[in-house]
Amino acid sequence: YLEQPYPADDLVALARLRRRSGTPVCLDESIGSLGDALTAHALGALDVVNVKPARPARSRTRSSCSQ
């Protein structure tokens, strides 16, 4: 898979790449909350989410996902 091949805020480009290449896309910097993950999934921009709970901003994601 490709890990975060475009800037974090360009989910449209990520979705386009995923559709055109057929290569799975892994996002980490684009995902700061459960809502971000749901949006990226709805756009077809990801196959894998790489959650890094050690990052302070990621603690919100971990909390949201455990609910």
Side-chain angles (χ1 to χ4, degrees), residues 6-7 9 11 24-25 27-29 35 37 40 44 46 51 53 56 61-62 64-65:
Y6 287 108
D9 62 345
L11 293 176
V25 172
L27 300 182
D28 57 2
E29 288 134 18
L46 63 86
V51 177
T61 304
R62 186 174 49 189
S64 295
C65 291

Side-chain angles (χ1 to χ4, degrees), residues 11-53:
L11 293 176
V12 172
L14 290 160
R16 190 177 320 124
L17 172 69
R18 185 175 167 265
R19 279 193 306 273
R20 289 182 180 173
S21 72
T23 302
V25 172
C26 174
L27 300 182
D28 57 2
E29 288 134 18
S30 295
I31 310 301
S33 69
L34 179 57
D36 292 343
L38 293 173
T39 298
H41 181 266
L43 290 171
L46 63 86
D47 295 283
V48 178
V49 175
N50 184 5
V51 177
K52 298 178 182 174

